[in-house]
Amino acid sequence: MAALTEFELIDRFFRRQENSAGNARGIVLGIGDDAALLAPTPGSQLAASVDMLVSGRHFFADVEPEALGHKALAVNLSDMAAMGATPRWALLAGALPDADPQWLKGFARGFFALAKAHGVDLVGGDTTRGPLNLCVTLLGEVPAGEALLRSGALAGDSIWLSGALGDAALALAHHAGQLVLTADEAAACWNALLRPAPRVALGLKLRGLASAAIDVSDGLVGDLAHVLEASKVGAVLELAAIPRSEALDRQLASSARDIALRCLLAGGDDYELCFTTAPSHDPRVAALAAELGLELRRVGTIAAEPGLIVQDSSGRPLAPLPQAYDHFAA
Ligand SMILES: [Mg+2]
């Protein structure tokens, strides 16, 4: 069979009926012209984010294509969640080593399953031959002035985390032979790494409730530091309160404690939300957790003095803190 051309590829795997479904989804013109024409909801602001996944850097080259399709969109959905934005339209650019229909089919399946679950339409894209590299741009909407920012945290605010942190990094530590997980633990950790669940519903509910928010993509220590810097405040976290899986908890009690601690505090790839609220809102957050069926844990307090302190169970600060993952440091 002759190799598929770029146009055939797009047509076969990425053009969907709903992408040209007209104004109902805010699409005046979808894939097929030089640019898509979109009609944002009057009174809303557009939230735009882009994220690139590079083979060998962000994922293993032999990763299941369906998982990669899921993750390429999930990391952007997570940014929308952190802004309290409703995700609407995606653009996908990719460099592919070859046009393998089986691979593309799997990738498209993972991508579109998550897109559909979040009401996102793919409205444009570009492909080229090259080392595997995927870049998704996501556009979302938020009522004017209601976006969640990093800059609104105030001294005395409660600090919250959704879900559990560290499992994605734990999978990589296990893979690298730095610690040993059981088969079940490893499977759960790989799932956390490959199939993160972006907290879009939570982000929408946090509008008007959270004073600041960020998604934990590069590790709690580094991401929370962005909030502290933008808000010109500090924070005190309780290590024992930071949500983690039983697998990670077991590693914390083992000889691999330092590695487990780094996974928990600085591992990254978590895609949970870290947000702050006025302490008077604590009961509302608890009610929200019940409503969404999501674990939301209060992990600390915003302080007036700059700096991030993580206290162990005896109240002593951890020093030094594990450092966030830096893509350019390696
Ligand atoms: Mg982010």
Side-chain angles (χ1 to χ4, degrees):
M1 190 178 79
L4 294 168
T5 68
E6 177 184 341
F7 300 113
E8 284 164 348
L9 274 180
I10 292 172
D11 233 32
R12 183 148 157 208
F13 296 108
F14 295 101
R15 190 198 292 268
R16 297 283 154 127
Q17 212 56 45
E18 60 266 30
N19 295 340
S20 49
N23 260 322
R25 295 172 75 107
I27 302 168
V28 181
L29 192 63
I31 290 177
D33 211 307
D34 291 301
L37 295 175
L38 307 171
T41 306
S44 68
Q45 291 172 330
L46 271 182
S49 80
V50 62
D51 213 283
M52 187 183 288
L53 296 180
V54 176
S55 178
R57 172 59 82 176
H58 300 102
F59 59 90
F60 297 109
D62 62 352
V63 67
E64 232 185 294
E66 185 174 356
L68 193 58
H70 173 97
K71 188 157 180 177
L73 182 59
V75 298
N76 281 278
L77 286 167
S78 182
D79 281 327
M80 288 294 138
M83 298 300 289
T86 305
R88 301 287 315 266
W89 307 294
L91 297 113
L92 169 65
L96 305 169
D98 49 45
D100 174 359
Q102 273 313 104
W103 193 95
L104 285 164
K105 196 174 166 186
F107 182 89
R109 197 185 314 124
F111 184 93
F112 283 112
L114 189 63
K116 190 174 178 197
H118 289 279
V120 168
D121 290 315
L122 183 70
V123 296
D126 189 32
T127 56
T128 180
R129 196 174 294 268
L132 185 56
N133 167 0
L134 296 150
C135 188
V136 174
T137 300
L138 192 56
L139 301 173
E141 292 186 327
V142 60
E146 291 185 26
L148 306 174
L149 306 181
R150 297 175 177 184
S151 54
L154 296 171
D157 281 0
S158 299
I159 304 170
W160 300 86
L161 277 167
S162 66
L165 300 189
D167 278 359
L170 206 57
L172 294 175
H174 171 73
H175 182 79
Q178 296 171 341
L179 43 76
V180 180
L181 300 174
T182 67
D184 283 354
E185 288 173 343
C189 288
W190 277 112
N191 193 55
L193 177 69
L194 297 177
R195 303 196 137 268
R199 303 305 186 189
V200 176
L202 173 61
L204 295 177
K205 293 281 186 182
L206 290 178
R207 292 203 300 236
L209 175 58
S211 50
I214 193 166
D215 68 316
V216 183
S217 53
D218 297 327
L220 177 62
V221 165
D223 287 322
L224 180 56
H226 294 316
V227 171
L228 303 182
E229 195 178 330
S231 300
K232 299 184 173 65
V233 291
V236 179
L237 299 181
E238 304 298 330
L239 178 60
I242 296 171
R244 79 288 301 261
S245 65
E246 279 178 30
L248 200 143
D249 215 39
R250 192 171 72 79
Q251 295 295 332
L252 280 175
S254 78
S255 58
R257 176 182 167 80
D258 286 353
I259 295 160
L261 204 55
R262 180 177 55 75
C263 291
L264 179 67
L265 296 177
D269 257 347
D270 296 301
Y271 305 104
E272 296 295 346
L273 293 188
C274 177
F275 60 95
T276 61
T277 62
S280 60
H281 286 331
D282 286 359
R284 281 181 64 190
V285 179
L288 187 55
E291 182 190 333
L292 295 174
L294 190 62
E295 189 95 8
L296 299 176
R297 291 282 293 274
R298 188 185 179 286
V299 295
T301 309
I302 295 291
E305 312 75 46
L308 172 58
I309 295 167
V310 181
Q311 291 181 339
D312 67 16
S313 49
S314 55
R316 271 192 299 268
L318 295 184
L321 283 177
Q323 287 309 297
Y325 184 67
D326 180 344
H327 292 289
F328 293 101

